[in-house]
Amino acid sequence: LRARRSSDELVDANELIRGQNILLADELDKAHELQMALMPTESPEILDYRVSGLCKPATQVGGDFYQYHNISNERWAITLADVTGHGMEAAIPGVLMSGILDNVIESGLSPVDLCNQLNNSLHRVLPSRTFVCFSLVDINLMTGSLSIVKGG
């Protein structure tokens, strides 16, 4: 009788764990969809430039992303970022980074000034042991020049 009761309790516990695992997997799938929605679904048309990108996180979510920004009729920017860590530990700061970047890039600052502003903003909100490797390619369509800024 005691063994039967213990067996029934184990079956119930396993069903509970299985249900929780399904809920967790569902949440991670939603987080993956939200993260992928931050990145472009198609390549931009930038005069004679051919640009293409793809991001595949090692796990369901991560801290890598890229974006294309049409700053003006004369400028485009391509940005790439990699947040330290894996999974949600990197994904949440990555989402913060993306939001701050969207706001700062609209300012029309030079690439160096933009990166300085981005760095200052991120320094205020990210945990002290979180780092972001970041690259920005600024394309001036009038002159055909590219400016590349990298930092972390």
Side-chain angles (χ1 to χ4, degrees):
L1 184 61
R2 181 187 268 171
R4 178 72 174 154
R5 202 171 331 144
S6 293
S7 177
D8 289 345
E9 288 173 0
L10 282 174
V11 168
D12 291 344
N14 280 331
E15 286 180 33
L16 179 65
I17 291 169
R18 198 176 355 257
Q20 292 298 314
N21 283 340
I22 290 170
L23 290 174
L24 181 59
D26 241 14
E27 288 297 315
L28 285 172
D29 286 342
K30 289 175 187 167
H32 174 80
E33 290 173 20
L34 289 169
Q35 182 182 20
M36 293 299 108
L38 294 174
M39 288 178 268
T41 56
E42 54 190 49
S43 298
E45 292 186 26
I46 308 173
L47 290 181
D48 295 330
Y49 298 90
R50 286 194 290 175
V51 178
S52 184
L54 177 67
C55 180
K56 289 190 172 201
T59 56
Q60 285 174 297
V61 293
D64 301 330
F65 75 88
Y66 71 98
Q67 295 173 331
Y68 310 124
H69 308 273
N70 186 356
I71 298 172
S72 71
N73 289 336
E74 299 176 4
R75 281 178 62 206
W76 274 82
I78 301 167
T79 57
L80 304 140
D82 180 7
V83 179
T84 55
H86 299 283
M88 292 302 282
E89 171 191 20
I92 299 297
V95 169
L96 284 169
M97 165 82 179
S98 175
I100 293 170
L101 174 61
D102 279 347
N103 286 322
V104 172
I105 207 153
E106 290 178 359
S107 66
L109 294 170
S110 72
V112 170
D113 290 340
L114 185 143
C115 287
N116 284 330
Q117 177 66 43
L118 184 60
N119 184 62
N120 291 338
S121 296
L122 289 171
H123 184 70
R124 282 192 297 273
V125 298
L126 293 180
S128 63
R129 297 183 72 70
T130 300
F131 297 94
V132 180
C133 293
F134 180 73
S135 297
L136 179 142
V137 177
D138 186 84
I139 305 169
N140 184 318
L141 301 176
M142 301 305 286
T143 64
S145 67
L146 299 176
S147 297
I148 301 173
V149 180
K150 300 184 295 180

